[in-house]
mmCIF file of all heavy atoms in Angstrom:
data_model
loop_
_atom_site.group_PDB
_atom_site.id
_atom_site.type_symbol
_atom_site.label_atom_id
_atom_site.label_comp_id
_atom_site.label_asym_id
_atom_site.label_seq_id
_atom_site.Cartn_x
_atom_site.Cartn_y
_atom_site.Cartn_z
ATOM 1 N N THR X 77 99.444 -54.460 -28.073
ATOM 2 C CA THR X 77 98.165 -54.989 -27.616
ATOM 3 C C THR X 77 98.366 -55.879 -26.393
ATOM 4 O O THR X 77 99.498 -56.190 -26.021
ATOM 5 C CB THR X 77 97.477 -55.802 -28.736
ATOM 6 O OG1 THR X 77 98.278 -56.945 -29.039
ATOM 7 C CG2 THR X 77 97.274 -54.976 -29.983
ATOM 8 N N ASP X 78 97.247 -56.307 -25.824
ATOM 9 C CA ASP X 78 97.312 -57.180 -24.649
ATOM 10 C C ASP X 78 97.529 -58.645 -25.009
ATOM 11 O O ASP X 78 97.600 -59.496 -24.128
ATOM 12 C CB ASP X 78 96.049 -57.027 -23.800
ATOM 13 C CG ASP X 78 94.788 -57.410 -24.560
ATOM 14 O OD1 ASP X 78 94.865 -57.863 -25.726
ATOM 15 O OD2 ASP X 78 93.695 -57.244 -23.986
ATOM 16 N N GLY X 79 97.617 -58.987 -26.272
ATOM 17 C CA GLY X 79 97.863 -60.356 -26.700
ATOM 18 C C GLY X 79 96.626 -61.081 -27.192
ATOM 19 O O GLY X 79 96.740 -62.136 -27.813
ATOM 20 N N SER X 80 95.448 -60.551 -26.932
ATOM 21 C CA SER X 80 94.227 -61.203 -27.405
ATOM 22 C C SER X 80 94.050 -61.038 -28.917
ATOM 23 O O SER X 80 93.397 -61.860 -29.553
ATOM 24 C CB SER X 80 93.007 -60.663 -26.663
ATOM 25 O OG SER X 80 92.858 -59.275 -26.907
ATOM 26 N N VAL X 81 94.597 -59.974 -29.469
ATOM 27 C CA VAL X 81 94.600 -59.740 -30.921
ATOM 28 C C VAL X 81 95.974 -59.222 -31.320
ATOM 29 O O VAL X 81 96.723 -58.699 -30.491
ATOM 30 C CB VAL X 81 93.514 -58.721 -31.354
ATOM 31 C CG1 VAL X 81 92.127 -59.271 -31.165
ATOM 32 C CG2 VAL X 81 93.673 -57.413 -30.630
ATOM 33 N N THR X 82 96.288 -59.321 -32.601
ATOM 34 C CA THR X 82 97.570 -58.814 -33.086
ATOM 35 C C THR X 82 97.446 -57.328 -33.380
ATOM 36 O O THR X 82 96.338 -56.820 -33.592
ATOM 37 C CB THR X 82 98.011 -59.552 -34.362
ATOM 38 O OG1 THR X 82 97.090 -59.241 -35.413
ATOM 39 C CG2 THR X 82 98.077 -61.053 -34.147
ATOM 40 N N PRO X 83 98.554 -56.609 -33.430
ATOM 41 C CA PRO X 83 98.500 -55.191 -33.784
ATOM 42 C C PRO X 83 97.894 -54.949 -35.175
ATOM 43 O O PRO X 83 97.172 -53.972 -35.369
ATOM 44 C CB PRO X 83 99.969 -54.768 -33.738
ATOM 45 C CG PRO X 83 100.601 -55.702 -32.774
ATOM 46 C CD PRO X 83 99.898 -57.005 -32.973
ATOM 47 N N THR X 84 98.148 -55.849 -36.102
ATOM 48 C CA THR X 84 97.581 -55.692 -37.447
ATOM 49 C C THR X 84 96.060 -55.827 -37.413
ATOM 50 O O THR X 84 95.355 -55.034 -38.051
ATOM 51 C CB THR X 84 98.180 -56.748 -38.397
ATOM 52 O OG1 THR X 84 99.599 -56.678 -38.331
ATOM 53 C CG2 THR X 84 97.737 -56.518 -39.815
ATOM 54 N N GLN X 85 95.558 -56.793 -36.662
ATOM 55 C CA GLN X 85 94.106 -56.981 -36.561
ATOM 56 C C GLN X 85 93.434 -55.783 -35.891
ATOM 57 O O GLN X 85 92.374 -55.324 -36.331
ATOM 58 C CB GLN X 85 93.783 -58.249 -35.760
ATOM 59 C CG GLN X 85 94.135 -59.532 -36.470
ATOM 60 C CD GLN X 85 94.015 -60.735 -35.545
ATOM 61 O OE1 GLN X 85 94.209 -60.628 -34.334
ATOM 62 N NE2 GLN X 85 93.712 -61.891 -36.128
ATOM 63 N N VAL X 86 94.049 -55.278 -34.846
ATOM 64 C CA VAL X 86 93.453 -54.143 -34.137
ATOM 65 C C VAL X 86 93.499 -52.877 -35.011
ATOM 66 O O VAL X 86 92.585 -52.052 -34.951
ATOM 67 C CB VAL X 86 94.105 -53.946 -32.749
ATOM 68 C CG1 VAL X 86 95.405 -53.220 -32.819
ATOM 69 C CG2 VAL X 86 93.170 -53.249 -31.804
ATOM 70 N N LEU X 87 94.522 -52.747 -35.848
ATOM 71 C CA LEU X 87 94.584 -51.606 -36.773
ATOM 72 C C LEU X 87 93.476 -51.706 -37.820
ATOM 73 O O LEU X 87 92.833 -50.698 -38.146
ATOM 74 C CB LEU X 87 95.949 -51.530 -37.445
ATOM 75 C CG LEU X 87 96.124 -50.402 -38.465
ATOM 76 C CD1 LEU X 87 95.986 -49.041 -37.782
ATOM 77 C CD2 LEU X 87 97.468 -50.509 -39.161
ATOM 78 N N GLU X 88 93.227 -52.899 -38.329
ATOM 79 C CA GLU X 88 92.136 -53.088 -39.297
ATOM 80 C C GLU X 88 90.787 -52.753 -38.660
ATOM 81 O O GLU X 88 89.948 -52.102 -39.282
ATOM 82 C CB GLU X 88 92.125 -54.519 -39.813
ATOM 83 C CG GLU X 88 93.258 -54.833 -40.756
ATOM 84 C CD GLU X 88 93.241 -56.279 -41.243
ATOM 85 O OE1 GLU X 88 92.185 -56.950 -41.123
ATOM 86 O OE2 GLU X 88 94.284 -56.737 -41.732
ATOM 87 N N THR X 89 90.590 -53.186 -37.430
ATOM 88 C CA THR X 89 89.344 -52.873 -36.725
ATOM 89 C C THR X 89 89.197 -51.374 -36.512
ATOM 90 O O THR X 89 88.111 -50.809 -36.700
ATOM 91 C CB THR X 89 89.305 -53.599 -35.361
ATOM 92 O OG1 THR X 89 89.508 -54.992 -35.579
ATOM 93 C CG2 THR X 89 87.998 -53.372 -34.644
ATOM 94 N N ALA X 90 90.283 -50.711 -36.141
ATOM 95 C CA ALA X 90 90.242 -49.259 -35.936
ATOM 96 C C ALA X 90 89.914 -48.536 -37.237
ATOM 97 O O ALA X 90 89.130 -47.583 -37.241
ATOM 98 C CB ALA X 90 91.580 -48.773 -35.376
ATOM 99 N N CYS X 91 90.499 -48.977 -38.331
ATOM 100 C CA CYS X 91 90.212 -48.359 -39.638
ATOM 101 C C CYS X 91 88.745 -48.538 -40.011
ATOM 102 O O CYS X 91 88.103 -47.597 -40.493
ATOM 103 C CB CYS X 91 91.105 -48.951 -40.718
ATOM 104 S SG CYS X 91 92.825 -48.449 -40.602
ATOM 105 N N THR X 92 88.211 -49.727 -39.777
ATOM 106 C CA THR X 92 86.799 -49.993 -40.076
ATOM 107 C C THR X 92 85.890 -49.092 -39.241
ATOM 108 O O THR X 92 84.921 -48.527 -39.753
ATOM 109 C CB THR X 92 86.468 -51.472 -39.806
ATOM 110 O OG1 THR X 92 87.351 -52.280 -40.581
ATOM 111 C CG2 THR X 92 85.039 -51.800 -40.174
ATOM 112 N N LYS X 93 86.204 -48.940 -37.960
ATOM 113 C CA LYS X 93 85.399 -48.071 -37.096
ATOM 114 C C LYS X 93 85.501 -46.612 -37.526
ATOM 115 O O LYS X 93 84.509 -45.880 -37.500
ATOM 116 C CB LYS X 93 85.835 -48.216 -35.638
ATOM 117 C CG LYS X 93 85.392 -49.520 -35.013
ATOM 118 C CD LYS X 93 85.785 -49.584 -33.548
ATOM 119 C CE LYS X 93 85.298 -50.860 -32.916
ATOM 120 N NZ LYS X 93 85.626 -50.931 -31.487
ATOM 121 N N LEU X 94 86.691 -46.185 -37.930
ATOM 122 C CA LEU X 94 86.863 -44.804 -38.396
ATOM 123 C C LEU X 94 86.069 -44.546 -39.671
ATOM 124 O O LEU X 94 85.462 -43.480 -39.824
ATOM 125 C CB LEU X 94 88.334 -44.493 -38.639
ATOM 126 C CG LEU X 94 89.131 -44.040 -37.434
ATOM 127 C CD1 LEU X 94 90.598 -43.868 -37.799
ATOM 128 C CD2 LEU X 94 88.581 -42.747 -36.876
ATOM 129 N N ILE X 95 86.070 -45.496 -40.574
ATOM 130 C CA ILE X 95 85.293 -45.339 -41.813
ATOM 131 C C ILE X 95 83.811 -45.198 -41.477
ATOM 132 O O ILE X 95 83.112 -44.349 -42.037
ATOM 133 C CB ILE X 95 85.558 -46.520 -42.765
ATOM 134 C CG1 ILE X 95 86.978 -46.432 -43.313
ATOM 135 C CG2 ILE X 95 84.550 -46.543 -43.908
ATOM 136 C CD1 ILE X 95 87.454 -47.662 -44.052
ATOM 137 N N GLY X 96 83.324 -45.998 -40.538
ATOM 138 C CA GLY X 96 81.928 -45.891 -40.112
ATOM 139 C C GLY X 96 81.620 -44.551 -39.465
ATOM 140 O O GLY X 96 80.582 -43.942 -39.728
#
Side-chain angles (χ1 to χ4, degrees):
T77 64
D78 61 4
S80 62
V81 292
T82 66
T84 307
Q85 290 170 330
V86 81
L87 178 63
E88 288 179 18
T89 305
C91 288
T92 303
K93 286 183 178 182
L94 275 176
I95 290 169

